[in-house]
Amino acid sequence: MNNPLITKLSRGNHLTSADEETIARLTSERIRIPADQDIVSQGDRPDAINLVVTGLACRYKTLRNDDRSIMAFLIPGDLCDLHVAIIGSMDHSIKTLTECEIVKIPSRAIDRLSTTHPNVARALWWSLLRDEAILREWLVCVGRRPAMKRVAHLLCELWHRYTAAGLISGGRLPFPVTQEELADTVGLSTIHVNRTLKSLKHQNLAWVSGKTVIIPDLSRLELFVGFDQSYLHQIGNGGKREVEGRSHPRQSFERGES
Amino acid sequence: MNNPLITKLSRGNHLTSADEETIARLTSERIRIPADQDIVSQGDRPDAINLVVTGLACRYKTLRNDDRSIMAFLIPGDLCDLHVAIIGSMDHSIKTLTECEIVKIPSRAIDRLSTTHPNVARALWWSLLRDEAILREWLVCVGRRPAMKRVAHLLCELWHRYTAAGLISGGRLPFPVTQEELADTVGLSTIHVNRTLKSLKHQNLAWVSGKTVIIPDLSRLELFVGFDQSYLHQIGNGGKREVEGRSHPRQSFERGES
DNA sequence: CGCTGCCTTGACACGCCTCAACGAGCGTGG
DNA sequence: CCACGCTCGTTGAGGCGTGTCAAGGCAGCG
């Protein structure tokens, strides 16, 4: 199987085959972690960086009143805590939402890259900065968009991210998330998320099917939210910058009846 | 006058006097920018990093419906767009809220630091990671806290950040922000911000006075929100890690009647 | 002196939250 | 094989927090 980190990074960086080999060498031995378990906890001072290879994880914080906030979804190819060594300790926790395979990369291996493979180091920094860009967009979303658009925007984003990781197949978006977790992500109550999903389905924009989401017409969903993928800083998927190579296969894009 | 960047960085990093001198040399020539003007605009590909020296600036995005979201306050000592070169183009804009003095640091000067002064480079990365931590906390705030606590939390944060930059005097927090801008920051309507400020004042927690905010009892305000400053990753200000040097002077801390 | 920007206030509507109950799926143990 | 308990999804009723609309006040300034 492909390395999702390489697939992702090559969407925003030019990597030589030597670079790719370097990355592949970093990400060899996997650990399996069951669902719903902390990978890193608040206050930890980890000396290794975790890379999600399969499954879905999230960053989260819990408030005193047990309110919880999910601040990021970590899909295959995402790094959990790049350079946490610099800032000292984790100010939040990371846990699995499904069973995950992760790779632990020693901090020192990453540090060495900046001298031995600056191009790879640069690509890793790119991924960090991109995570920050996503965070900003989430803040806008929660602060200024109504419920329907919050959810819809998240789905658009995930579609593009999963596509960039080469993980969309059969026109279905992986979405192994409970409504409660979704609520904690978009800043709504569980019950209102339920009603919101019902509305989205009723408008034929998107609906949950098993542990996936079906989006019959992505461009219509994007139009609905005013989605602008430029904050993802990646090429392809009908974005502004054209790529010479083929885009990833996506089907049912033009079905668009309503 | 002191260099606010050095003051800030030394709150989270150990800097030698040589390091401080290196930073001071980077931040020499200042530019003055009037209030309410873009420093960097969405889509720009700047080749210099902007450092705020005096005044207040913000990151923001504007949605189609003219809704605006402010995603960060940039106080003296804050870097606007560290390593934007890596990610390509700005996915948001930065503008002044008051008249500002800024310093433009060429990207290449920053890049050189990683080899010539790794300790300084590390401190700059620290500031980037801290900005991300603040962003996460804002997301929690907007997503899961009621209006009063959103505003109160922001005030607590700003108090600690201004203190870390050495800019609190007379027990007053600089706050040259209109209610509309505050509304765009905490994700509320202008009118509701007005009512919220009234409530905070009525409960003797905090109130605006001119372009500053008066907080009669910071610990009471922090208790009210459940403020935990650990996400700021800085030492001092009555935090968990004790410093040997005196804390900055703060008055009326123990007044706490209600 | 009349702008204009910002703050303030009231009335009302609506989006979202809370409480409460029920249903569907599924693994487990009797 | 069925009863059970658990988690997750679904639905309804009612209330509260926040948004919207509308109007006015006050200070700064040309």
Side-chain angles (χ1 to χ4, degrees):
Chain A
M1 81 184 283
N2 277 332
N3 187 318
L5 179 57
I6 296 176
T7 314
K8 179 181 91 166
L9 293 181
S10 61
R11 280 303 188 95
N13 303 267
H14 180 67
L15 297 177
T16 67
S17 52
D19 290 337
E20 295 190 2
E21 210 172 308
T22 306
I23 298 171
R25 226 175 305 123
L26 283 176
T27 59
S28 42
E29 32 183 334
R30 303 180 177 185
I31 316 177
R32 184 175 299 268
I33 300 187
D36 210 44
Q37 189 173 310
D38 271 14
I39 302 176
V40 195
S41 300
Q42 189 172 350
D44 283 0
R45 298 174 168 274
D47 57 353
I49 282 97
N50 295 292
L51 167 70
V52 177
V53 181
T54 65
L56 183 67
C58 71
R59 298 178 194 283
Y60 73 96
K61 278 190 186 182
T62 310
L63 301 184
R64 318 238 150 141
N65 38 316
D66 280 343
D67 271 350
R68 195 181 47 164
S69 185
I70 291 178
M71 302 166 302
F73 282 146
L74 302 168
I75 74 171
D78 285 344
L79 293 157
C80 291
D81 35 30
L82 188 62
H83 275 116
V84 65
I86 286 183
I87 199 127
S89 63
M90 293 289 293
D91 53 58
H92 62 281
S93 304
I94 297 176
K95 74 164 189 176
T96 58
L97 293 174
T98 67
E99 183 181 84
C100 287
E101 285 176 309
I102 66 162
V103 169
K104 289 202 174 287
I105 309 174
S107 299
R108 289 178 49 252
I110 300 275
D111 289 341
R112 272 197 299 271
L113 285 180
S114 56
T115 51
T116 59
H117 297 270
N119 199 33
V120 174
R122 188 189 169 84
L124 293 181
W125 283 120
W126 170 85
S127 82
L128 179 79
L129 293 167
R130 200 189 74 144
D131 287 350
E132 196 176 324
I134 292 173
L135 204 47
R136 279 192 294 266
E137 192 61 39
W138 283 30
L139 182 60
V140 175
C141 213
V142 171
R144 282 287 178 238
R145 275 192 252 260
M148 292 262 289
K149 295 193 176 182
R150 290 189 209 179
V151 175
H153 194 278
L154 177 66
L155 295 179
C156 291
E157 177 190 303
L158 287 176
W159 180 279
H160 286 285
R161 286 171 61 192
Y162 270 108
T163 301
L167 292 170
I168 296 283
S169 65
R172 281 160 171 265
L173 173 68
F175 199 70
V177 175
T178 68
Q179 293 184 359
E180 186 179 0
E181 287 156 354
L182 180 53
D184 288 338
T185 306
V186 295
L188 296 170
S189 69
T190 308
I191 292 173
H192 202 66
V193 160
N194 183 293
R195 291 192 249 261
T196 304
L197 288 174
K198 201 164 85 177
S199 300
L200 283 173
K201 180 174 186 175
H202 189 252
Q203 296 191 224
N204 243 286
L205 288 167
W207 59 88
V208 179
S209 163
K211 295 200 173 309
T212 65
V213 162
I214 296 176
I215 302 172
D217 182 349
L218 181 64
S219 53
R220 200 157 64 83
L221 188 63
E222 293 186 342
L223 195 67
F224 170 69
V225 240
F227 186 80
D228 173 4
Q229 67 157 307
S230 62
Y231 74 98
L232 291 173
H233 295 277
Q234 65 193 17
I235 55 184
N237 312 329
K240 29 191 67 169
R241 290 191 263 166
E242 272 314 299
V243 219
E244 59 302 311
R246 293 214 331 92
S247 183
H248 287 246
R250 283 177 312 176
Q251 54 195 32
S252 67
F253 246 55
E254 310 300 340
R255 228 183 67 197
E257 97 301 1
S258 88
Chain B
M1 79 185 284
N2 277 332
N3 186 318
L5 178 58
I6 295 176
T7 314
K8 180 181 91 166
L9 293 181
S10 61
R11 280 303 189 95
N13 303 267
H14 180 67
L15 298 176
T16 67
S17 51
D19 291 336
E20 296 190 3
E21 210 172 308
T22 306
I23 298 171
R25 227 175 304 121
L26 284 176
T27 60
S28 43
E29 32 183 335
R30 302 180 177 184
I31 317 178
R32 184 175 299 269
I33 300 188
D36 209 43
Q37 188 173 311
D38 270 14
I39 301 177
V40 195
S41 301
Q42 189 171 350
D44 283 0
R45 298 174 168 275
D47 56 353
I49 281 97
N50 295 293
L51 167 69
V52 177
V53 180
T54 66
L56 183 67
C58 72
R59 298 178 194 282
Y60 73 98
K61 279 191 187 182
T62 310
L63 301 184
R64 318 238 151 144
N65 39 316
D66 280 344
D67 271 351
R68 195 181 46 167
S69 183
I70 291 177
M71 303 167 302
F73 282 146
L74 301 168
I75 74 170
D78 285 344
L79 293 156
C80 291
D81 34 31
L82 188 62
H83 274 117
V84 66
I86 286 183
I87 199 126
S89 63
M90 294 288 293
D91 53 58
H92 62 281
S93 305
I94 298 176
K95 72 165 190 177
T96 56
L97 293 173
T98 67
E99 182 181 85
C100 287
E101 285 176 309
I102 65 161
V103 169
K104 288 201 174 289
I105 309 175
S107 298
R108 289 176 51 251
I110 300 275
D111 289 341
R112 271 197 299 272
L113 285 179
S114 57
T115 51
T116 59
H117 298 270
N119 200 32
V120 174
R122 188 189 169 84
L124 293 181
W125 283 120
W126 171 85
S127 83
L128 180 80
L129 292 166
R130 201 190 74 146
D131 287 349
E132 196 177 324
I134 292 173
L135 205 46
R136 279 192 294 268
E137 191 61 39
W138 283 30
L139 183 60
V140 175
C141 212
V142 170
R144 282 287 178 240
R145 275 191 252 259
M148 292 261 290
K149 294 193 176 180
R150 290 190 209 178
V151 174
H153 194 278
L154 178 65
L155 295 178
C156 291
E157 177 190 303
L158 286 176
W159 178 278
H160 286 285
R161 286 172 61 192
Y162 270 107
T163 303
L167 291 170
I168 296 283
S169 65
R172 281 161 171 263
L173 174 68
F175 200 70
V177 174
T178 67
Q179 293 185 359
E180 186 180 359
E181 288 156 354
L182 180 54
D184 289 337
T185 305
V186 294
L188 296 169
S189 68
T190 308
I191 292 174
H192 202 67
V193 160
N194 183 293
R195 290 192 257 260
T196 304
L197 288 174
K198 201 164 86 176
S199 300
L200 283 173
K201 179 174 186 174
H202 189 252
Q203 295 190 223
N204 242 287
L205 288 166
W207 59 89
V208 179
S209 163
K211 297 200 171 310
T212 65
V213 161
I214 296 176
I215 302 173
D217 183 349
L218 181 63
S219 52
R220 201 157 62 83
L221 187 63
E222 292 186 343
L223 196 67
F224 170 68
V225 240
F227 187 81
D228 173 5
Q229 66 156 307
S230 62
Y231 74 98
L232 291 173
H233 295 277
Q234 65 191 17
I235 54 181
N237 313 329
K240 28 192 67 168
R241 291 190 260 166
E242 272 314 299
V243 220
E244 61 301 312
R246 293 213 332 92
S247 184
H248 288 244
R250 282 177 312 176
Q251 53 197 32
S252 64
F253 246 54
E254 311 299 340
R255 226 182 70 198
E257 99 297 4
S258 88

